[in-house]
Amino acid sequence: MALKKIFFALPVCSSRWISTSYSRSAGFQGSKANIPLEMKLRMIERKKRRVEKLSKQPLAFIPITDFFIPYSWKMDERARPKLEISEEEEDKRVLLEKEWARKTFRSRKQESWKIKLLLRHQQRALEELRQESEKLYNAALQCEDLSIPFTCRGPVQSTPLEGYLPPLGGYEHTDPLFSKDDLSLPEV
Amino acid sequence: MATQLSSRLFHKIKQGGTRWFYSYNRCIVSDKQSLSKHLKREVHDIEQVSSQCPSPWMLQAGVCLIRLPLIEEDLSEFQKRYISLKEQMEYENSILNEWELEKIKQTQLMNDIESGKRDASEMDFKVSKQDYEDDYNQAFKEFTESTTELDLNDADFKNINRRPKDYLVLISKQKLGNDTVWMLPTEEWKEEENLRQSAERALTSHCGTLVDASFVSNAPSGFYKYKFPKNARTDAYVGAKLFIYNAFVPRVSETQSTATFNLDIDLNKMLDYAWVAKDEMRNFLKPKYSKAIDEIIF
């Protein structure tokens, strides 16, 4: 990867400007300006060979681009005109959030209570079974392999329409290997 | 996972002659292992006792075949308000997307052309994005008005697709002595068979072999003890202990919200059957019985 050189201009005193490069080793900048043609051609060939080598390897995954916000999104023209929210509205929103927190806590508690009840009933059934016969109790304690890993399909949002035939087949999620968004790294 | 259980254990101890002594211990046990340790002490006594006097309870296995909800529950008013608030906040904190940018530019262009600031030759589109949006909204409106959802018959108790938002249980009408009683499909336990197999046998003998049901575990999910009416009691059995096994009607596919149930009834055993929700159970079953099943269904 080529070194990205970023120049910063710093004023030392009123009449002179010193430019320093961002990278640690400034290198012999401008050293490749006057080279004989043959050498240039040789350098180009070497680079081509390197590119060929790399192209033979399988494509590597690029990092997740969700964390990089493309530059074009940060422009002013993309900003949505802000709505002014009155104080009453803000208070209402905050109170709704608090009520939601209370309700979810409550529903979670109810769910865990239901699960505890299920377990409790099972325990009681096993106790009573044990009092009847040890053999059946041991058979009941056996672990069933088929149900692990357990998979379950959830409910749907609405009933099917009259006379509607859903298309056959599943839905494939294909993420593109290389995204087309421009990353927020500065181009030199 | 440590589960706190308080168990009341009844055990009979024969003390001196023919006096039977009932005592119960209430203990809080921290987890399953220590519970079984505690029980082991008692079981020794029972095994000694049972060899002298077998248990008066007939063992039965029953199947609680559950049809899970096909459709999501309706959102409550509060949930709808919260969802709309969240959507509003997300909309406010978002940025314009490309479609909206184009739309704004196009409307600006059209306004400028009308007012004369710009030339009509600069129009680079035939159909504006706003027109597309209007078309889409129109098509959606027509679609929702023209099509109707399937009317699942809620009143027919034999229809497995009734009441799609609830948990349904299969109950059957069986002969118990001289009476016909509504209860879960049950079978008496036979020798050389464990309880889960007798539960599966109960399902196939009542509903036929084509029924598709997935049992979840070898252990029973629920328990119900009842005494026979006095004229039906024999020397061997005072009553029965019913161990209930949960089974689920599997979902066929993700897209379809209907379930299928292939019945092959044995009319000697199952005179009638019904798919029943929790609130309707009390109309068919005895209160204690329905309470025993109620809490197993979730």
Side-chain angles (χ1 to χ4, degrees), chain A residues 78 80 93 96-97 100 118 121-123 125 128-129 132 140 142 144 153 156-157 159-160 162, chain B residues 55 70-72 78 82 91-92 94 96 100 148-150 196 216 218 220 241 243 251 257 295-296:
Chain A
R78 286 271 197 170
R80 203 177 281 280
R93 286 185 179 185
L96 237 192
E97 296 257 16
W100 181 81
L118 283 172
H121 281 293
Q122 195 173 57
Q123 286 289 331
E128 296 282 346
L129 183 57
E132 288 297 312
Q142 297 296 316
E144 205 204 296
R153 290 203 171 100
V156 207
Q157 266 200 334
T159 38
E162 267 182 70
Chain B
S55 125
L70 301 170
I71 293 174
E72 289 176 353
F78 176 77
Y82 188 71
Y91 179 76
E92 283 169 14
S94 66
L96 298 170
E100 286 183 305
T148 49
E149 289 181 13
L150 259 186
R196 156 124 174 217
V216 180
N218 286 320
K241 278 191 178 180
F243 293 98
R251 275 186 224 280
S257 73
E295 291 173 343
I296 300 171

Side-chain angles (χ1 to χ4, degrees), chain B residues 122-178:
Chain B
E122 286 185 36
M123 281 229 339
D124 54 347
F125 58 91
K126 284 184 190 164
V127 188
S128 72
K129 305 267 182 183
Q130 187 64 48
D131 294 335
Y132 277 122
E133 275 191 25
D134 293 336
D135 284 340
Y136 299 154
N137 288 330
Q138 186 64 30
F140 181 62
K141 197 175 163 192
E142 282 171 18
F143 178 74
T144 45
E145 280 170 9
S146 65
T147 52
T148 49
E149 289 181 13
L150 259 186
D151 183 28
L152 302 170
N153 191 0
D154 275 357
D156 179 23
F157 282 106
K158 303 202 176 172
N159 181 16
I160 192 179
N161 293 318
R162 67 183 291 259
R163 291 193 62 161
K165 294 179 189 170
D166 297 311
Y167 290 85
L168 297 186
V169 182
L170 179 73
I171 54 170
S172 64
K173 203 171 184 178
Q174 293 159 44
K175 274 185 236 170
L176 197 68
N178 289 329

